[in-house]
Amino acid sequence: DAQESRGLGDVYKRQSLLIALLCSIINVYAQNEIVINGIVRDRINKNKLENVTVSVAGSSIGTVTNAEGVFSLKLSQQLSNSKLELSHIGYQNTQFAMTVPDNSSQLSATIWMTPVTQQLDEVVVYGGDARRIVKEALKKIPVNYPAHESMLSTFYRETIQKRHRYIGVSEAMMDVYKTAYTNRNTNHDKVQLIKARRLVSQKQSDTLAVKMEGGPNQSIFLDIAKNEDALLDQQSMEYYTFTQEPSVLLDNRPQYVIRFAPRVKLSYALFTGKLFIDREKLAITRAEFSLDLSDREKAARAILRKKPVGLRFRPQEVNFLVTYHERNGLTYLHYICNEMRFKCDWKRRLFSSPYTARSEMVVVEQDEQPDRIIARRNAFSPKQIFYDVVEEYWNEDYWKEYNIIEPTETLDNAVKKLKKQLSQGNN
């Protein structure tokens, strides 16, 4: 008995030692990480600024602010003395020195950005020929964008609302492999899901049996500088009219603003919107565009893959935002957002239900010398639907050290309600 007791005592000691070692590892990890929480506002009118590019100077780490101007960055302790760089259209670039208090791993701050009040002078390099400016920008893509392969670490989120109520939230961390921009095709570009989760309403009336194109592969398809089929190539330019608007400032650099609209009718829907083009480098830095809805049937075919028989799908708005960020003389993909508003109703029913489907992707880190590519068997297929491949799973520490787009307050509340529905459904 004494020998057995000593044996059990040794086991307990080893278990205690293991627990102590695990706690030490956790504590060391926590000490090696800092969290920067911030809100970005306009210095003049105090408004919160959405979609501000926030990056760590001298690194490829970054994120964007949400609709409430809020961002959060998780960084290693080695970067605690770095500066944050913030850029937003129509504002002067802002630098913020991170000073984390002693014995703390968090910093909260309000960062102010100053709008550009003076009107930028027009540089007449191309004689005001808006079409020529766009053509030259397309020609310069191999020079202005990465001429080497890269691996992007990205955060992706999808939300679906029925009227003003969220009925679904899905999120993922993804790797996106991109080949060089010297060739504007995406044949070998791939997306791989690393970690994902979703919450979906359990109410039968919230079931949405409409599945749309897009999903995680929008990081490939909507990269308009890389994918010539996304928006403009030399041939499709003939389908549009181009007009020049007053210049703006982005990344502290003057930008041409070129508005475009369809000038012909084709068998498929075209787009209308604006391109922002660096006046010196002629790099496309931002695109805001919408699907032309003058023909609703053509617009529906452009975004709808399949639907149940008898369900009428009517698009109301289909909007896109694609932004790029300059670093070390090159222009890199940074953020993509797609928002679709539509109505669905069944034949013989009096009322229709309005829905809003929104997806957004931000590049949180970039490896310019990747040691691997994404194997075809691991790649997310364009034929797959994100909603179908993600399992339901949710907890507070799910993302741990990952950088994400901070959820808004309304989204936080929606998650709580969906979790409650799920809990009640399981009971």
Side-chain angles (χ1 to χ4, degrees):
D1 291 344
Q3 184 176 0
E4 183 179 354
S5 177
R6 284 196 300 272
L8 289 173
D10 289 342
V11 170
Y12 292 145
K13 287 179 182 178
R14 286 197 296 269
Q15 288 179 339
S16 299
L17 179 61
L18 177 61
I19 292 171
L21 286 173
L22 286 175
C23 291
S24 298
I25 292 171
I26 292 171
N27 287 334
V28 168
Y29 177 79
Q31 291 170 1
N32 287 336
E33 183 186 73
I34 59 174
V35 180
I36 311 299
N37 298 310
I39 182 169
V40 184
R41 292 180 178 270
D42 183 301
R43 186 180 295 277
I44 305 301
N45 59 27
K46 318 303 181 189
N47 288 343
K48 301 170 184 176
L49 298 180
E50 180 181 8
N51 293 336
V52 176
T53 295
V54 183
S55 57
V56 179
S59 79
S60 60
I61 300 172
T63 186
V64 295
T65 59
N66 65 15
E68 296 165 348
V70 173
F71 73 90
S72 180
L73 275 175
K74 299 175 184 178
L75 309 171
S76 67
Q77 193 71 38
Q78 298 172 340
L79 295 173
S80 60
N81 294 322
S82 301
K83 291 183 178 180
L84 294 183
E85 294 180 336
L86 294 87
S87 63
H88 193 47
I89 187 169
Y91 288 80
Q92 297 177 6
N93 276 21
T94 300
Q95 284 199 338
F96 177 78
M98 295 184 288
T99 306
V100 181
D102 293 338
N103 301 321
S104 176
S105 60
Q106 292 200 8
L107 172 65
S108 297
T110 299
I111 304 176
W112 303 92
M113 297 192 72
T114 303
V116 178
T117 54
Q118 74 273 21
Q119 184 160 352
L120 300 177
D121 59 313
E122 291 297 333
V123 178
V124 185
V125 178
Y126 295 97
D129 187 344
R131 181 180 296 273
R132 186 181 174 193
I133 293 172
V134 177
K135 283 187 175 181
E136 292 298 322
L138 295 179
K139 288 180 183 178
K140 285 184 171 290
I141 286 175
V143 177
N144 287 324
Y145 300 82
H148 49 75
E149 61 186 9
S150 58
M151 187 74 76
L152 313 181
S153 296
T154 69
F155 173 74
Y156 176 78
R157 175 184 289 139
E158 279 185 9
T159 60
I160 299 178
Q161 290 175 265
K162 184 177 182 181
R163 295 183 175 87
H164 298 292
R165 181 168 55 86
Y166 284 93
I167 62 173
V169 180
S170 306
E171 299 177 329
M173 295 304 303
M174 312 184 305
D175 282 345
V176 182
Y177 175 76
K178 285 186 177 289
T179 52
Y181 281 67
T182 48
N183 189 347
R184 291 188 70 200
N185 77 54
T186 59
N187 295 339
H188 300 288
D189 296 2
K190 296 183 180 67
V191 171
Q192 180 180 3
L193 297 183
I194 303 302
K195 193 174 187 180
R197 66 180 182 179
R198 71 178 171 99
L199 276 175
V200 181
S201 171
Q202 299 297 298
K203 293 182 179 180
Q204 186 66 32
S205 60
D206 285 339
T207 301
L208 181 65
V210 177
K211 301 180 180 180
M212 288 162 289
E213 299 282 358
N217 278 293
Q218 71 176 10
S219 54
I220 295 175
F221 298 144
L222 290 178
D223 183 353
I224 63 170
K226 183 70 161 61
N227 181 17
E228 64 180 1
D229 295 327
L231 182 61
L232 293 173
D233 58 19
Q234 296 291 350
Q235 178 180 351
S236 63
M237 282 192 63
E238 303 307 316
Y239 305 148
Y240 293 93
T241 59
F242 296 90
T243 55
Q244 190 171 344
E245 297 188 350
S247 295
V248 299
L249 199 68
L250 181 59
D251 266 339
N252 276 3
R253 299 177 65 87
Q255 310 282 320
Y256 289 117
V257 181
I258 309 296
R259 181 172 291 279
F260 60 93
R263 59 182 291 265
V264 297
K265 290 186 177 181
L266 301 175
S267 59
Y268 54 89
L270 295 173
F271 299 94
T272 179
K274 292 191 292 187
L275 296 174
F276 297 77
I277 299 173
D278 186 286
R279 289 202 319 206
E280 179 186 349
K281 298 173 57 179
L282 292 182
I284 300 173
T285 55
R286 181 183 178 98
E288 304 170 0
F289 56 104
S290 304
L291 194 66
D292 180 21
L293 299 182
S294 57
D295 187 321
R296 304 276 174 165
E297 289 187 7
K298 286 194 292 188
R301 288 199 300 269
I303 58 175
L304 188 64
R305 178 177 297 169
K306 60 182 179 180
K307 66 178 181 66
V309 176
L311 181 68
R312 291 185 295 191
F313 175 85
R314 294 178 292 161
Q316 306 297 305
E317 284 184 65
V318 184
N319 302 317
F320 304 90
L321 172 63
V322 183
T323 71
Y324 296 84
H325 182 57
E326 185 183 20
R327 190 175 73 252
N328 299 328
L330 290 176
T331 306
Y332 295 89
L333 177 67
H334 180 62
Y335 177 71
I336 294 175
C337 181
N338 172 210
E339 185 173 87
M340 291 180 279
R341 300 180 186 276
F342 55 93
K343 290 184 177 181
C344 287
D345 62 70
W346 295 91
K347 292 180 180 178
R348 298 175 184 163
R349 285 193 182 177
L350 185 59
F351 300 106
S352 60
S353 298
Y355 292 89
T356 300
R358 178 184 173 93
S359 59
E360 53 185 341
M361 182 281 303
V362 64
V363 178
V364 296
E365 197 160 0
Q366 181 162 331
D367 185 356
E368 298 177 29
Q369 294 181 325
D371 55 5
R372 70 179 182 93
I373 63 173
I374 297 174
R376 185 178 297 276
R377 65 179 179 276
N378 297 327
F380 188 90
S381 168
K383 295 181 179 180
Q384 287 180 296
I385 301 295
F386 183 57
Y387 173 91
D388 291 340
V389 301
V390 179
E391 297 180 355
E392 292 186 13
Y393 180 68
W394 209 273
N395 66 46
E396 298 301 325
D397 300 320
Y398 191 75
W399 296 123
K400 294 184 179 178
E401 74 276 16
Y402 290 112
N403 281 308
I404 66 173
I405 301 173
E406 282 298 293
T408 62
E409 184 177 353
T410 55
L411 189 56
D412 266 339
N413 291 335
V415 167
K416 292 176 183 177
K417 291 178 181 178
L418 290 172
K419 287 174 67 176
K420 186 176 180 180
Q421 288 180 26
L422 184 61
S423 175
Q424 292 173 344
N426 290 337
N427 293 333

